[in-house]
Amino acid sequence: MSTKPDWPADVGHIHHDEVTSTLDAARLRAAGTLAPTWITATRQTASRGRRGRAWVAPVGNFNGTLIVPCSDPEQGALRSFVAALALRDALEGVMGAGPKLALKWPNDVLVNSGKIAGILLESLTPHGRFEGVAVGIGVNLVAAPTSDDVEARAVPPVSVKGESGVDVTSDMFLSHLAPAFVQWDAQLATYGFAPIRTAWLSHAAKLGETITARLPNEDVTGRFETVDENGYLILTTAKGPRTIAAADVYF
């Protein structure tokens, strides 16, 4: 087992035994004060993923949300890429270099081609204006959902335990994730999105291959060319280039 890294300065941590979701708890916390704070929970009774889908979160897996103060909604949205890179570092920190890690646009982390973690961003507007984002993160540490718990064509879920044999607690995982997020976020603040984009693309799943982006009213299939300076997906389709701001991606 890896050693426990130092906790980052000026970042808070509040743990709950049970909440509806750590995103909900973060929103309540932000109503009082907006400061960098991790909210974690042993149990979530109403976990959620993208587009309101349920998120299966057995006890022992990681359930956490980071409150990130930010005045610019566009910069806030880029925290999904920061979180993905931080998750990759944290997973490698606890599992070692053996399992193959990849990043799936827009907000998943894969291990050995299976989904091990998901990211969900929500805007924080405690005083009626945008003041930051809540970066919700779920990681399958000890158990993964069954195929019956995910939709058709979705990447099959996997867990840290199943893919590496490593037992890691939620607290130990957070001790790797929190400093990794601070380090990548500092790069975003200092140098802008360019180095984050480059690093993310270096680990991108299916880059240069054919994928399908599912939008509310259509499916778009094409070659995954890149992610642009806004974090949008760029596909080359039979009808030409296509820029996609948000979608569910299928391989």
Side-chain angles (χ1 to χ4, degrees), residues 35 54 100 116 156 162 216 219 222:
K100 182 180 178 182
I116 202 164
D219 286 357

Side-chain angles (χ1 to χ4, degrees), residues 20-149:
T20 54
S21 77
T22 57
L23 280 162
D24 292 340
R27 192 172 299 283
L28 291 173
R29 177 73 179 178
T33 177
L34 203 60
T37 307
W38 280 96
I39 311 293
T40 57
T42 302
R43 300 176 193 82
Q44 295 188 122
T45 60
S47 304
R48 61 182 180 273
R50 277 174 51 82
R51 304 185 188 278
R53 301 188 185 99
W55 176 268
V56 179
V59 172
N61 285 356
F62 178 79
N63 310 303
T65 293
L66 175 62
I67 297 171
V68 181
C70 178
S71 60
D72 182 351
E74 292 184 0
Q75 284 290 303
L78 296 177
R79 262 48 182 223
S80 64
F81 294 91
V82 171
L85 289 166
L87 273 168
R88 186 191 180 283
D89 286 354
L91 285 162
E92 188 170 80
V94 298
M95 292 193 300
K100 182 180 178 182
L101 287 149
L103 306 178
K104 177 177 177 284
W105 190 92
N107 54 11
D108 293 339
V109 181
L110 310 182
V111 171
N112 297 334
S113 300
K115 179 175 175 177
I116 202 164
I119 302 160
L120 179 62
L121 264 64
E122 294 185 353
S123 297
L124 294 173
T125 55
H127 303 102
R129 63 182 181 276
F130 179 85
E131 296 185 32
V133 291
V135 183
I137 294 173
V139 185
N140 300 329
L141 297 180
V142 300
T146 67
S147 57
D148 292 337
D149 293 320

